[in-house]
Amino acid sequence: GQQLNQSPQSMFIQEGEDVSMNCTSSSIFNTWLWYKQDPGEGPVLLIALYKAGELTSNGRLTAQFGITRKDSFLNISASIPSDVGIYFCAGPRDDKIIFGKGTRLHILP
Amino acid sequence: NAGVMQNPRHLVRRRGQEARLRCSPMKGHSHVYWYRQLPEEGLKFMVYLQKENIIDESGMPKERFSAEFPKEGPSILRIQQVVRGDSAAYFCASSVTASSNQPQHFGDGTRLSIL
């Protein structure tokens, strides 16, 4: 089946550091989505990318849709404690959304 | 996640019992999707429904699982004769249309535990 591969699986960082994570696919997606999931909650859409090469920001978050339409990255600048959570890349396929396995972000005290 | 309401938030069942999970979509949304999330995994699509119709159930096991979205009331995901492997978080999402440019909004899920 279709797979989205996210890396890294986990990240342990200090507060204030910048974060970078990425997502690759063996097949093309026409839309890339980045979601965040807090413990005990559902995923919340952070950024949606609709055009190859598009670079979009949402506050301290920046995401890019790769030119080949097979990859995307998400950057978080100056991390804060509430950034802790699981970040999923996802892509719509027909009427469903395909999710990656997530990158787990931990912030060290 | 205001808008998509799922209940119960937690459900405990013994093997062999039935589990009923409910989802009320956001106001004005007539498209409902169910996903399952196992620990350390992403969400996996199960079924997509519009009012009174199942559009795509390709991700839902053929046996023991069923879904409905009646004209009135919430969407229901029903699991009969539950087994330990059914333990997971089940999320519902809704959208205005089925277009890939229309985001799906997720509820906070039902965490099903099978004893």
Side-chain angles (χ1 to χ4, degrees):
Chain A
Q2 324 241 349
Q3 271 197 310
L4 291 174
N5 301 304
Q6 288 191 246
S7 64
Q9 285 187 326
S10 294
M11 302 184 73
F12 291 82
I13 61 166
Q14 300 281 350
E15 184 179 346
E17 284 186 27
D18 296 341
V19 171
S20 185
M21 60 188 80
N22 76 307
C23 183
T24 59
S25 170
S26 56
S27 57
I28 286 172
F29 281 88
N30 292 318
T31 299
W32 282 81
L33 307 169
W34 284 95
Y35 285 87
K36 182 183 180 224
Q37 185 178 29
D38 289 328
E41 296 186 13
V44 174
L45 183 65
L46 298 174
I47 290 180
L49 301 156
Y50 299 107
K51 282 200 288 193
E54 180 181 353
L55 184 72
T56 296
S57 292
N58 178 6
R60 293 178 296 105
L61 276 59
T62 302
Q64 183 155 33
F65 190 161
I67 289 288
T68 63
R69 292 190 281 158
K70 290 185 178 182
D71 64 306
S72 176
F73 71 73
L74 176 71
N75 288 344
I76 306 172
S77 62
S79 57
I80 60 177
S82 61
D83 291 334
V84 165
I86 308 174
Y87 292 81
F88 291 102
C89 67
R93 183 73 76 201
D94 301 322
D95 44 44
K96 59 181 77 72
I97 296 178
I98 310 294
F99 283 83
K101 291 191 175 184
T103 292
R104 282 146 187 78
L105 181 63
H106 306 269
I107 296 187
L108 299 168
Chain B
N1 293 323
V4 179
M5 304 301 294
Q6 290 188 248
N7 69 83
R9 291 294 307 275
H10 300 273
L11 183 61
V12 179
R13 285 286 177 266
R14 297 190 181 280
R15 279 178 294 171
Q17 290 184 322
E18 178 180 288
R20 277 183 178 244
L21 287 60
R22 292 174 195 79
C23 169
S24 296
M26 282 183 74
K27 193 174 180 181
H29 289 194
S30 58
H31 300 254
V32 165
Y33 313 79
W34 286 92
Y35 292 81
R36 176 162 64 177
Q37 185 180 31
L38 296 171
E40 308 297 313
E41 297 279 326
L43 281 70
K44 294 264 171 48
F45 169 81
M46 297 180 73
V47 60
Y48 159 42
L49 310 102
Q50 277 184 271
K51 278 288 185 184
E52 299 184 273
N53 292 306
I54 295 176
I55 307 301
D56 181 352
E57 54 183 348
S58 58
M60 196 161 68
K62 296 280 185 285
E63 295 181 358
R64 302 188 299 108
F65 284 72
S66 62
E68 62 179 26
F69 189 15
K71 191 175 178 184
E72 302 290 337
S75 175
I76 307 282
L77 179 67
R78 185 179 174 212
I79 311 173
Q80 295 178 287
Q81 298 176 312
V82 296
V83 300
R84 287 250 168 89
D86 296 333
S87 294
Y90 291 84
F91 290 94
C92 169
S94 72
S95 64
V96 175
T97 71
S99 165
S100 61
N101 285 346
Q102 286 291 329
Q104 294 182 14
H105 298 267
F106 285 82
D108 282 337
T110 293
R111 275 135 193 91
L112 177 63
S113 299
I114 309 302
L115 301 178

